[in-house]
Amino acid sequence: MTLLARPVVTAAGLRARGLRLPSTLSGVLALTAVTLTTALLVTLGVTRTSPVFFGDEIGYLANTIAIGGGPALRIDADSYYPGWSLVLVPLWWILRDPLALYRGAVILSALSSLATIPVLAALGRRLGLRTAHAVLAASVVVALPAHALMAGFALAESFLVLVVASAVLLAVIAARAETVRWYLAAGAASGFAFVVHGRVAGIVVAAVAWAILLLLQRRFRAGSALLASALIISALGYALYRHLEVVVYRSTGREADGVAKLFGSAPAATALGTSGQVWYLVVATAGLAIPGVVFVILRAASEIRSRRPGWALWFGVWALGLAAISITYVSRSVAQRDRLDLFVYGRYLEPATDLLAFFGMVLLVRLAPRALGAGRSAAPVRLRRRFVRLGIATVGAFAVVTAGFGLLAHAVVPTADETTSGWNPMNVLGIVQYGWQLGADDAALPLVQAALIGGGVLLAVLALGLLVRHRAVMLALALVFALGSSLVAQTRTVAPAYGGYASAFTLTHAVDRFGSASVSFVTAPDPLAPNRSSVISRNAYEFFLAPRVVPVVSGTAALPTTDLAIARKSWPAGVEAGWRRITWDPGYDNALWSRPGLDP
């Protein structure tokens, strides 16, 4: 008998199972978990009032404006996939205001995170959990900082996890029901996940591979449905992406750059980046992803033995593909010591991280004995032994990863001051609840804190699973860790790091006072600070002033032909041509200028 020999929902019993919660401790804990997680997500969603990332967030919103019939903003950034932008188009049609669009996008991001709970709960039910346990485990995943804190931005991350989780749920149903409609749905969800973000391209590759195996087994209808839906949806989305890439960004370099990184990664930097991302995966989930890996491997092995390829092999293929993209994406930056957070880059792994943590809790709950002394029959004893063996293996793996990378990082990973650009919390939200500060002006990886606190939580969860009769209690402890970590991370790191953007780019209000006056953006650098980039300001003002079209000019070789111009505080070419400075933004080196003859 294997670890996974306990009964699960079969194809014959695939009818929708109600989510009626019993009036027990488990039910109370599940309802409390959903309530607290909802409160966290709503708070994060309503408190963000202005963009923070003027490439990433603005890129998705620029797509939305263009798809919705607005102007094509000339964003200076890499291109972004349109799946999330398509969801936001109705907001632009209704609001027609860029800042309101942003706030609406953040609220939808939070709602996407919230919607992930019932999707994961339904997945847990089909993997053998009771309703209360499935809801608790889903709430833990959504409340973890790496997931929850993304709900406070207009990025595609929260929506991507929702789509990927839906694809996994549909794949599990399809593998068991073996009906055409479920394979169609699983393929379509896989294709749409790629349209949301290209880093999950592996999910389409995995769907195609699964479809081919089905066709080779003469399961023609199932294989054709999976193959056609995955390819059609992904192809249509990619065609829209390529159109936006030229219209909005006037660039076609993202894929070429990605392929170059994939095949041009230095072995040493790739190995260091791999170890860092494995470390992040482990500590960001307090080790819960480790039994999740075991769960997927056991399922995949069962599919191989039975010669019935299913969801586990599909999941394993695209998760490995995601890891390969995530690691090679930053390996060049790791070699060049661009930023500290890139050594443990976790943002790209997030869809797989969430699901592995969820699978880990599924396996722990299914193997947890009801109490240490409950029952004397052979079955509870065997179950207890399996839980103990899994616990020992999980703790051992956690110790090896944290100690191994800790020693490696101590030797070769720099501090923030020793890199080119410091560090960015956004890419490592799963561990920003810990203290990164090293002295007054430096930062370092929180190696010891993450290992001790994460390891302590893991040991406590395993101990409760072994000693306490109610399995929901160990999930409740994991939820306390997740919620507490998110609150600490938000107040300690995220809010201080990004709060200042709410009062930046004040020239928008000055431009509005001129009514319908035309305005352009000048890219000429300030001669007093020639190396300071104006890219963030350019993207910000193009977005904030939409749907007004803001031409971009050099301001030296060619002067603006508009009534107003946003340039640097020092603009010698403009002064020589008679332009007058009206006001300036102290937060960034930007000033509003009026053309000769215009009364300010």
Side-chain angles (χ1 to χ4, degrees), residues 146-514:
H147 184 113
L149 296 182
M150 278 295 179
F153 301 99
L155 298 167
E157 261 57 21
S158 297
F159 184 65
L160 176 63
V161 173
L162 172 62
V163 174
V164 170
S166 300
V168 174
L169 172 61
L170 292 169
V172 170
I173 297 174
R176 292 176 179 167
E178 297 188 342
T179 58
V180 171
R181 62 173 181 169
W182 290 114
Y183 280 111
L184 276 172
S190 298
F192 187 63
F194 166 70
V195 179
V196 175
H197 203 293
R199 72 178 186 258
V200 293
I203 201 169
V204 178
V205 175
V208 170
W210 188 6
I212 291 173
L213 291 175
L214 291 173
L215 292 172
L216 291 175
Q217 292 180 335
R218 298 183 180 277
R219 297 158 69 185
F220 296 113
R221 295 181 64 195
S224 299
L226 180 62
L227 182 65
S229 58
L231 290 181
I232 290 173
I233 297 297
S234 59
L236 290 174
Y238 187 71
L240 176 59
Y241 161 74
R242 294 293 287 184
H243 170 72
L244 292 170
E245 193 175 37
V246 175
V247 171
V248 177
Y249 305 92
R250 291 159 178 83
S251 165
T252 57
R254 181 181 281 272
E255 271 67 33
D257 183 57
V259 172
K261 289 177 178 177
L262 184 62
F263 292 102
S265 303
T270 301
L272 180 58
T274 300
S275 61
Q277 293 195 31
V278 169
W279 175 83
Y280 177 90
L281 171 71
V282 169
V283 297
T285 62
L288 294 174
I290 297 173
V293 173
V294 174
F295 183 82
V296 173
I297 290 174
L298 291 173
R299 286 285 185 182
S302 176
E303 291 174 3
I304 292 172
R305 286 195 303 270
S306 65
R307 297 184 180 181
R308 300 285 289 185
W311 72 266
L313 286 171
W314 166 83
F315 178 90
V317 169
W318 75 251
L320 289 173
L322 177 64
I325 290 173
S326 179
I327 291 165
T328 55
Y329 178 74
V330 298
S331 62
R332 188 184 303 171
S333 297
V334 168
Q336 296 171 350
R337 294 188 163 201
D338 286 347
R339 280 202 324 263
L340 175 60
D341 58 284
L342 298 179
F343 286 83
V344 292
Y345 189 79
R347 178 184 169 194
Y348 265 25
L349 288 176
E350 186 57 29
T353 302
D354 284 351
L355 285 158
L356 287 173
F358 183 76
F359 291 149
M361 286 182 281
V362 169
L363 184 57
L364 289 175
V365 170
R366 288 183 53 193
L367 291 183
R370 291 186 179 274
L372 184 61
R376 296 296 180 187
S377 66
V381 171
R382 285 197 300 268
L383 193 64
R384 190 177 305 117
R385 287 174 179 171
R386 291 176 192 140
F387 185 87
V388 170
R389 286 200 300 267
L390 177 64
I392 292 173
T394 299
V395 172
F398 185 93
V400 168
V401 170
T402 54
F405 181 74
L407 293 172
L408 178 64
H410 182 73
V412 300
V413 175
T415 66
D417 272 0
E418 294 168 345
T419 65
T420 303
S421 305
W423 73 291
N424 186 353
M426 177 184 68
N427 298 317
V428 286
L429 289 177
I431 53 174
V432 297
Q433 67 270 35
Y434 305 119
W436 286 61
Q437 286 304 117
L438 187 65
D441 302 312
D442 202 0
L445 296 178
L447 300 168
V448 176
Q449 294 177 61
L452 292 180
I453 296 176
V457 170
L458 178 62
L459 285 171
V461 167
L462 293 172
L464 288 175
L466 187 63
L467 298 173
V468 179
R469 182 175 184 273
H470 292 281
R471 299 168 188 174
V473 173
M474 68 174 177
L475 296 177
L477 175 62
L479 179 69
V480 170
F481 166 74
L483 289 170
S485 295
S486 292
L487 290 172
V488 171
Q490 174 67 14
T491 56
R492 182 180 200 170
T493 304
V494 176
Y498 303 127
Y501 288 98
S503 58
F505 309 112
T506 57
L507 299 182
T508 302
H509 305 297
V511 171
D512 289 340
R513 287 198 292 269
F514 284 85

Side-chain angles (χ1 to χ4, degrees), residues 49-117:
T49 59
S50 183
V52 170
F53 305 112
F54 290 91
D56 302 62
E57 290 182 299
I58 299 303
Y60 290 115
L61 299 178
N63 284 350
T64 297
I65 293 172
I67 296 170
L73 309 184
R74 296 182 60 186
I75 297 299
D76 189 347
D78 287 334
S79 49
Y80 291 89
Y81 279 74
W84 173 231
S85 304
L86 287 169
V87 176
L88 302 178
V89 168
L91 282 181
W92 175 250
W93 287 339
I94 296 169
L95 300 171
R96 291 287 173 175
D97 176 80
L99 195 55
L101 172 65
Y102 176 81
R103 291 170 178 167
V106 174
I107 292 173
L108 283 182
S109 175
L111 291 176
S112 296
S113 285
L114 186 60
T116 304
I117 295 177

Side-chain angles (χ1 to χ4, degrees), residues 2-17:
T2 67
L3 283 174
L4 298 175
R6 300 179 68 198
V8 297
V9 182
T10 61
L14 195 60
R15 295 182 303 275
R17 301 173 65 170

